[in-house]
Amino acid sequence: DQQVKQNSPSLSVQEGRISILNCDYTNSMFDYFLWYKKYPAEGPTFLISISSIKDKNEDGRFTVFLNKSAKHLSLHIVPSQPGDSAVYFCAASAIAGNMLTFGGGTRLMVKP
Amino acid sequence: NAGVTQTPKFQVLKTGQSMTLQCAQDMNHNSMYWYRQDPGMGLRLIYYSASEGTTDKGEVPNGYNVSRLNKREFSLRLESAAPSQTSVYFCASSERASGWVNEQFFGPGTRLTVL
C-alpha cells in the first residue's frame, strides 16, 4: 500500500503558465516533505522541502503548499519554463527516522 | 567534488549470475542508501547505512546484501540475480540518518537488466 501517492503520471503545461503538481499521503507520522526533480539518465536532485509546522515554503519560482488536515501537498512552478520538463517526485519522512518514502512521480512537460 | 558516484552505469546479467554495484561519496556524509526505481513505483529503499559500521533493511531488501566498506563507500550485491531485479538502482547519501531530516544526494544510477 503506497503511503505517498502522486495520482497524475503526467502533466503538460504551456511555457509561462503555472504548473501544479500534487501529492497525497496517508501516514500521519510524516512531518517533513520534499520534492525532487529528475532528468533522464540522471539521479534525482533536491528541489524544495517543507516541515509540518509550516503551510507554505517558497524558493524563487517554486512554492510548496502543505494541507495537513487533507494530507495533501502541492508544488507550484511559476512561470513554467521548458527546462522544468522532468519527472518530479514527492517524498515524505518522519523526522525521527529520516527515511524517505517516495511517490511514483509525475512527468512534467513544458511546451514552448 | 564529484558528489555521489556509481559504477557501472549499465549492466546486463543472466538469471543466477551475481554482481556488486559500487557507490562512493566525497561529501563526508555519515549516511548512505540504496534505492531501486521501477516505473510508477517511485524510489523504494533497499538498504541503508546510518553510519559507518551499521546497515539496516529498507522496504525491499530481499535478494540483496550490502557492505559499508568505509565512510565513503557503500556497495550493493546481488548474489543470484532474478528478472524481477531488473531496475534502475540509485545510491544516495546524507549528513545523518536520524534525529533530523536532511536532503539526500543521489548518484546517476545503474541500469540493470536481468535476462
Side-chain angles (χ1 to χ4, degrees):
Chain A
D1 184 32
Q2 283 190 300
Q3 297 185 69
V4 178
K5 287 187 180 179
Q6 295 175 253
N7 290 318
S8 299
S10 64
L11 174 67
S12 182
V13 169
Q14 206 66 36
E15 181 179 5
R17 306 295 291 267
I18 184 171
S19 296
I20 300 176
L21 293 87
N22 294 304
C23 179
D24 296 295
Y25 63 96
T26 57
N27 189 338
S28 57
M29 297 299 291
F30 289 147
D31 48 16
Y32 199 83
F33 305 89
L34 306 88
W35 284 93
Y36 280 80
K37 177 179 179 178
K38 184 184 179 306
Y39 292 118
E42 294 183 11
T45 55
F46 171 74
L47 190 57
I48 192 169
S49 63
I50 188 168
S51 74
S52 58
I53 62 173
K54 293 186 173 182
D55 55 17
K56 175 182 174 182
N57 189 27
E58 197 170 347
D59 184 1
R61 296 186 297 113
F62 302 91
T63 303
V64 56
F65 295 92
L66 175 62
N67 183 333
K68 281 188 65 179
S69 61
K71 293 191 176 68
H72 177 83
L73 64 155
S74 60
L75 174 68
H76 292 209
I77 305 174
V78 184
S80 302
Q81 299 173 354
D84 296 329
S85 297
V87 177
Y88 290 79
F89 290 101
C90 167
S93 175
I95 285 182
N98 197 29
M99 296 303 109
L100 296 182
T101 300
F102 284 85
T106 296
R107 182 177 302 278
L108 173 66
M109 293 164 283
V110 181
K111 298 180 179 178
Chain B
N1 278 359
V4 179
T5 57
Q6 293 183 235
T7 55
K9 284 189 168 43
F10 302 94
Q11 184 71 47
V12 179
L13 293 178
K14 294 181 180 178
T15 297
Q17 287 185 315
S18 62
M19 79 161 295
T20 299
L21 282 65
Q22 307 286 353
C23 174
Q25 52 93 7
D26 62 1
M27 295 174 282
N28 202 36
H29 285 167
N30 287 304
S31 305
M32 298 185 74
Y33 313 82
W34 276 105
Y35 292 89
R36 60 178 287 172
Q37 184 197 1
D38 301 294
M41 300 292 291
L43 287 87
R44 291 182 293 168
L45 184 65
I46 304 171
Y47 270 93
Y48 67 99
S49 171
S51 60
E52 188 179 352
T54 69
T55 60
D56 284 288
K57 294 178 180 179
E59 183 185 352
V60 288
N62 290 348
Y64 305 95
N65 285 301
V66 289
S67 295
R68 183 75 182 266
L69 305 169
N70 48 55
K71 191 171 185 179
R72 289 187 64 247
E73 298 171 289
F74 188 38
S75 63
L76 178 72
R77 182 160 178 84
L78 287 70
E79 289 291 352
S80 178
S84 61
Q85 294 178 304
T86 293
S87 188
V88 182
Y89 291 85
F90 290 100
C91 177
S93 69
S94 68
E95 269 192 51
R96 46 190 161 148
S98 64
W100 191 257
V101 178
N102 40 88
E103 65 175 284
Q104 294 179 13
F105 294 82
F106 285 81
T110 295
R111 185 174 294 274
L112 175 67
T113 302
V114 183
L115 302 175

